[in-house]
Amino acid sequence: MELPVAFCEEMKRILGDEYDAYLQSMQEKRKYGLRVNTAKISVEDFVKISPFPLTPIPYVKNGFYYDGERYQPAKHPYYFAGLYYLQDPSAMTPASRLPVEEGDVVLDLCAAPGGKATELAARLHGTGLLIANDISSKRAKALLKNIELFGVENSFIVTEYPKKLAEFFTGFFDKILIDAPCSGEGMFRKDPSMVKAWEQNGPSFYAELQEDILRQALPMLKPGGMLLYSTCTFSPLEDEGTVAKILAMNPDMELVEMEGYEGFAPGQPELIGSSEESLRRCVRIFPHKLDGEGHFLALLRKRETADEPVMSCEETRSGLKGEEKVLWEDFASHLRRELEPNRLESKNGMVYYMPGALPKLRGLRFLRSGLFVGEMKKKRFEPSQSLAMALRREQYDNCLCLTVEDERVVRYLKGETLVLTEEETAAPDGWQLVCVDDYPLGWGKKNRSTLKNKYHSGWRLV
């Protein structure tokens, strides 16, 4: 790989005697990572059933390395069950270092395609609220799919500029994650095309963009709330430089220590000519120090004494009515979990289970509010793929449970009709929740000895 001369000179300044070790690491093969969805399965249980060898990522508790040249986890049924997400190892660190707790209201401001948002959601365990935003509607569609695949039901997927969000969410969030657009220097080994992009739009361009994003984001954080800023670049202008701007533009913000690891390198205030020693609390990740690509992280807290108005998150909903209520209750009689009736909302026959902490948001562009439960058809309710992914096997009373070795699992994921065994034929006709090793994949409609495939057409295995 031919690296830009200006970039190499800057890396020499950053790394000093370690520069040659960095260059050597750029000749090595990239590392492949897998992160377990702890909202569906524990790390210990996944290790027991993993279909391919795994090596723990020492700085991410639910992260593992795998051999990406030998195995294809994205084609395994467990991937379609939402048991894991494929992600660069170092890219797992931002969500792992933002201390999300159950009940928090969380914003992932630059969320697509969903690697960090899905981890934040998993740590909420269905409580609180996750708002995941990306200004690109196209990229947000990939974000939505991953949110649904992970079985997230307490989310709101938005496609807005930060300035617009700030009009709605002053003092609203307990935690904010900003994995900011950047020059991508840390991804050169993984994606050499980033070099050309760097030459077109370098650190100066992105530093201005990052400052603008943060200027809009800071007022959305509650007093006492925490914000994690990260990039996948080495540029001091975008890293320590942008963090210094955060501190300067809001004196109520302070840098705090985050969970460390022996391979992490501290921030370097001297790179930007600063005497602010707290910048050493930032974390730099270099590929010659860790098995992963390059990353930068900074964890900040807004002081409790900050004079910030706190936004209310109450909104009343009326629930379903009339025939829609009757059709829903008929289907829901098979559920073995409670969905609060007043949180159900129908929009032109499309039924959603709305987060309890969602305020009035008229005027915002969004792709999804809450969990899409299903659709009202003529004289019937048809459950959605996202509802299937949000359920556990024991939460629906009519399941077709297949083992991962059953060849019908792959046929189901390809959209084919299934022929049932004599024992399976004895189950009641109607909607069945199709599972692989007890983990839901989607719906099917049983009629005697066959199961009509209702797996989401856009998700099928090809």
Side-chain angles (χ1 to χ4, degrees), residues 152-173:
V152 180
E153 61 183 67
N154 57 324
S155 65
F156 185 59
I157 312 301
V158 194
T159 58
E160 283 289 2
Y161 286 92
K163 182 177 181 180
K164 184 71 171 182
L165 290 177
E167 297 174 8
F168 287 78
F169 296 114
T170 301
F172 186 68
F173 295 103

Side-chain angles (χ1 to χ4, degrees), residues 206-216 242 245 249:
Y206 285 101
E208 291 183 14
L209 180 61
Q210 292 153 3
E211 180 180 358
D212 185 59
I213 290 172
L214 287 158
R215 192 178 300 279
Q216 309 303 332
T242 296
K245 291 175 184 176
M249 70 176 72

Side-chain angles (χ1 to χ4, degrees), residues 181-247:
C182 68
S183 59
E185 297 170 348
M187 295 291 114
F188 284 177
R189 179 176 66 175
K190 178 182 175 183
D191 184 3
S193 68
M194 294 293 295
V195 174
K196 186 175 181 180
W198 184 91
E199 291 173 333
Q200 293 174 342
N201 289 310
S204 296
F205 172 84
Y206 285 101
E208 291 183 14
L209 180 61
Q210 292 153 3
E211 180 180 358
D212 185 59
I213 290 172
L214 287 158
R215 192 178 300 279
Q216 309 303 332
L218 291 179
M220 294 191 276
L221 191 64
K222 290 179 182 177
M226 304 187 82
L227 181 150
L228 193 137
Y229 170 79
S230 64
T231 72
C232 58
T233 197
F234 303 123
S235 164
L237 188 64
E238 301 174 70
D239 293 344
E240 289 91 348
T242 296
V243 174
K245 291 175 184 176
I246 297 176
L247 300 174

Side-chain angles (χ1 to χ4, degrees), residues 261-281:
Y261 177 67
E262 60 184 357
F264 290 171
Q268 299 174 254
E270 61 273 14
L271 293 175
I272 58 168
S274 173
S275 59
E276 179 55 66
E277 283 298 305
S278 69
L279 288 171
R280 300 194 188 278
R281 294 174 179 167

Side-chain angles (χ1 to χ4, degrees), residues 160-425:
E160 283 289 2
Y161 286 92
K163 182 177 181 180
K164 184 71 171 182
L165 290 177
E167 297 174 8
F168 287 78
F169 296 114
T170 301
F172 186 68
F173 295 103
D174 298 293
K175 309 285 164 56
I176 296 177
L177 190 147
I178 301 177
D179 188 49
C182 68
S183 59
E185 297 170 348
M187 295 291 114
F188 284 177
R189 179 176 66 175
K190 178 182 175 183
D191 184 3
S193 68
M194 294 293 295
V195 174
K196 186 175 181 180
W198 184 91
E199 291 173 333
Q200 293 174 342
N201 289 310
S204 296
F205 172 84
Y206 285 101
E208 291 183 14
L209 180 61
Q210 292 153 3
E211 180 180 358
D212 185 59
I213 290 172
L214 287 158
R215 192 178 300 279
Q216 309 303 332
L218 291 179
M220 294 191 276
L221 191 64
K222 290 179 182 177
M226 304 187 82
L227 181 150
L228 193 137
Y229 170 79
S230 64
T231 72
C232 58
T233 197
F234 303 123
S235 164
L237 188 64
E238 301 174 70
D239 293 344
E240 289 91 348
T242 296
V243 174
K245 291 175 184 176
I246 297 176
L247 300 174
M249 70 176 72
N250 192 330
D252 290 321
M253 299 297 295
E254 58 181 346
L255 270 167
V256 296
E257 297 279 358
M258 70 185 83
E259 181 185 349
Y261 177 67
E262 60 184 357
F264 290 171
Q268 299 174 254
E270 61 273 14
L271 293 175
I272 58 168
S274 173
S275 59
E276 179 55 66
E277 283 298 305
S278 69
L279 288 171
R280 300 194 188 278
R281 294 174 179 167
C282 301
V283 165
R284 283 180 164 273
I285 298 176
F286 295 105
H288 66 284
K289 288 178 173 288
L290 289 179
D291 284 334
E293 306 308 311
H295 235 80
F296 173 88
L297 303 90
L299 182 61
L300 300 106
R301 178 172 55 211
K302 181 176 283 188
R303 293 183 174 89
E304 294 279 1
T305 55
D307 184 18
E308 198 80 71
V310 178
M311 176 181 173
S312 171
C313 60
E314 294 296 325
E315 182 177 3
T316 58
R317 304 187 186 280
S318 58
L320 302 180
K321 296 180 179 180
E323 184 182 32
E324 290 188 336
K325 181 180 179 182
V326 172
L327 294 175
W328 162 252
E329 289 178 346
D330 179 60
F331 172 82
S333 66
H334 299 281
L335 291 175
R336 296 294 177 263
R337 62 157 291 185
E338 182 182 359
L339 296 182
E340 298 175 36
N342 63 346
R343 286 174 55 188
L344 289 165
E345 185 173 283
S346 176
K347 301 175 183 178
N348 299 318
M350 312 294 276
V351 180
Y352 300 87
Y353 189 56
M354 305 295 285
L358 199 62
K360 294 181 179 179
L361 299 172
R362 182 174 296 176
L364 278 182
R365 295 180 299 176
F366 64 92
L367 288 184
R368 180 61 47 82
S369 54
L371 174 68
F372 174 47
V373 175
E375 186 176 359
M376 294 293 175
K377 298 290 184 74
K378 188 175 181 180
K379 300 298 182 182
R380 73 182 192 278
F381 172 81
E382 188 164 303
S384 69
Q385 178 71 36
S386 49
L387 175 62
M389 303 310 294
L391 293 174
R392 297 182 180 273
R393 178 210 182 279
E394 63 273 14
Q395 292 178 331
Y396 192 73
D397 68 3
N398 194 6
C399 297
L400 175 62
C401 295
L402 307 174
T403 66
V404 73
E405 294 84 11
D406 193 323
E407 52 89 20
R408 292 178 298 171
V409 173
V410 172
R411 289 175 53 201
Y412 174 76
L413 293 173
K414 290 183 175 180
E416 298 177 17
T417 296
L418 302 186
V419 177
L420 305 177
T421 67
E422 184 176 347
E423 182 180 358
E424 292 163 350
T425 300

